[in-house]
Amino acid sequence: MRVVFSPRYHLDIGPHVWPTAKYVLIRERLLAGGHAAPSDFIEPEPTAWDDLGLVHTADYLDQIRTGRLSPDDVARLELPFSSDIADGFRLMTGGTQLAARFALADGVSVHLGGGFHHALADHGEGFCLFNDVAVSIRELQRDGRIRRAAVVDCDVHHGNGTARIFHDDPSVFTFSIHQQHNYPLYKPASDLDIHLADGTGDDAYLHELELAMPEVMASKPDLIYYLAGADPYCEDQLGGLALSPEGLRHRDRVVLDAAGETPMAIVLAGGYAWRIEDTVSIHTSTVIEALASIVRRRAAASPSV
């Protein structure tokens, strides 16, 4: 399985709850555990500004190019802003685009980054400058590679940007399972939303997810984007759900198995555990589950003897 990654994902944002060091640490964990070889990791190119323009407004992109974000814009983004930060987000958006193309070719791919689901067409917010998944969908639709896509968003936070961008678009099915009383305050409707109560644990979460996945698959997507956030974890700083590491790994398996033979691109989205080692372990388990799903797909495709 090809894994999209760049060491440049470790952005210099100063002391911050978003641990951008996690991306490098996940790669190291996969290599140390023998789950991947150095040749499995493919570095992307930054996305083209024209591709960003498939989703984001010309005025917003011009503000970013010229560094004209207002203090209010930066406060809403909740990150320091610089050309280097913008370049990092362009690179990670290109990473999601590359992972999606690999998924179409290989069946399953993983991007050690991405999942910036709070970015809207005309502004960024909540640590999200560009909506990488939306850009990738629009690029593939433009190029005739896919007609329909589905977004399975299992981050602890509602995918408000993705829901708003694809509002009333029958070619993209958006699904978000998230903590109701959490960021963002305003949650525009996805095609399917599951609003979970504070403290929801493994059993209730998995029950709701298992009920939802058939509806996602009924939309008959050509490609699924899975936002495998680590932040439903019980010890996440920005989450209020109560999933265990085992429950999160089971969650990954439910999504991967429900996809059947439909190509899937996995992006990591959020993860802010008090111990960065916990976030890294959860994300690493997602990659391991993706590898296992490839084995299951191949076994299902092999003729019985």
Side-chain angles (χ1 to χ4, degrees), residues 6 39 61 112 117 157 171 207 236 254 278 299:
S6 172
S39 58
L61 295 179
L112 301 188
H117 58 168
H157 304 106
S171 74
H207 176 72
D236 194 89
V254 167
D278 292 343

Side-chain angles (χ1 to χ4, degrees), residues 1-2 35 40 102-103 105-109 256-257 260-262 289-305:
M1 181 178 70
R2 290 181 281 188
H35 304 292
D40 294 326
F102 285 160
D106 303 339
V108 178
S109 71
L256 285 157
D257 286 350
E261 296 302 307
T262 304
E289 282 299 324
L291 288 166
S293 78
I294 292 175
V295 174
R296 292 195 294 274
R297 286 182 181 222
R298 289 173 179 168
S302 298
S304 57
V305 178

Side-chain angles (χ1 to χ4, degrees), residues 10 22 36 48 65 109 121 131 138 140 146 171 185 197 199 221 223 229 231-232 237 264 268 273 275 299:
H10 187 180
K22 72 178 184 178
R65 272 192 294 248
S109 71
N131 195 306
R138 290 304 191 214
L140 293 176
I146 64 171
S171 74
L185 179 62
L223 176 62
D231 43 10
Q237 297 178 74
M264 177 180 290
L268 296 189
R275 290 167 21 97

Side-chain angles (χ1 to χ4, degrees), residues 7 12 49 57-58 66 99 106 113 118 162 170 174 180 196 209 212 242 261 274 286 291 301:
D12 183 8
W49 288 102
T57 65
T66 59
D106 303 339
H118 299 311
T162 308
T174 55
Q180 169 66 8
L196 298 172
L209 182 62
E261 296 302 307
W274 291 101
T286 295
L291 288 166

Side-chain angles (χ1 to χ4, degrees), residues 21-283:
K22 72 178 184 178
Y23 304 115
V24 174
L25 295 174
I26 296 163
R27 178 183 183 274
E28 292 176 355
R29 185 77 66 88
L30 290 167
L31 290 171
H35 304 292
S39 58
D40 294 326
F41 296 92
I42 312 297
E43 186 159 358
E45 296 293 329
T47 189
W49 288 102
D50 285 348
D51 286 356
L52 291 172
L54 298 170
V55 170
H56 297 288
T57 65
D59 183 62
Y60 176 52
L61 295 179
D62 185 62
Q63 287 178 311
I64 293 171
R65 272 192 294 248
T66 59
R68 292 189 296 106
L69 291 184
S70 70
D72 286 345
D73 293 330
V74 175
R76 183 161 53 181
L77 184 61
E78 301 184 66
L79 288 173
F81 180 77
S82 67
S83 60
D84 287 343
I85 297 297
D87 288 345
F89 275 97
R90 281 186 64 211
L91 184 65
M92 278 195 265
T93 301
T96 296
Q97 291 176 279
L98 182 59
R101 293 194 290 272
F102 285 160
L104 290 174
D106 303 339
V108 178
S109 71
V110 175
H111 178 203
L112 301 188
F116 302 117
H117 58 168
H118 299 311
L120 284 88
D122 61 353
H123 70 269
E125 60 181 62
F127 316 161
C128 302
L129 190 67
F130 304 127
N131 195 306
D132 55 300
V133 167
V135 170
S136 176
I137 291 171
R138 290 304 191 214
E139 176 224 351
L140 293 176
Q141 288 179 328
R142 178 199 64 196
D143 295 347
R145 300 287 302 277
I146 64 171
R147 293 180 60 252
R148 297 183 54 79
V151 180
V152 175
D153 191 336
C154 293
D155 193 273
V156 77
H157 304 106
H158 178 261
N160 61 318
T162 308
R164 190 73 195 94
I165 288 166
F166 294 118
H167 179 66
D168 285 339
D169 182 345
S171 74
V172 182
F173 188 95
T174 55
F175 164 50
S176 181
I177 179 170
H178 51 267
Q179 182 186 1
Q180 169 66 8
H181 299 298
N182 202 330
Y183 182 94
L185 179 62
Y186 173 61
K187 299 173 175 65
S190 309
D191 291 299
L192 176 60
D193 282 307
I194 296 177
H195 307 293
L196 298 172
D198 298 355
T200 297
D202 292 350
D203 291 345
Y205 185 104
L206 293 168
H207 176 72
E208 294 290 345
L209 182 62
E210 288 168 351
L211 289 177
M213 285 307 299
E215 185 173 347
V216 175
M217 297 311 300
S219 70
K220 300 190 182 305
D222 303 309
L223 176 62
I224 300 167
Y225 293 79
Y226 172 34
L227 280 68
D231 43 10
Y233 176 50
C234 58
E235 295 187 19
D236 194 89
Q237 297 178 74
L238 300 185
L241 298 181
L243 272 70
S244 68
E246 295 77 16
L248 287 162
R249 189 159 182 167
H250 191 167
R251 172 204 66 177
D252 296 336
R253 199 174 307 129
V254 167
V255 174
L256 285 157
D257 286 350
E261 296 302 307
T262 304
M264 177 180 290
I266 301 171
V267 296
L268 296 189
Y272 318 94
W274 291 101
R275 290 167 21 97
I276 190 172
E277 294 85 358
D278 292 343
T279 297
V280 170
S281 293
I282 292 165
H283 284 318

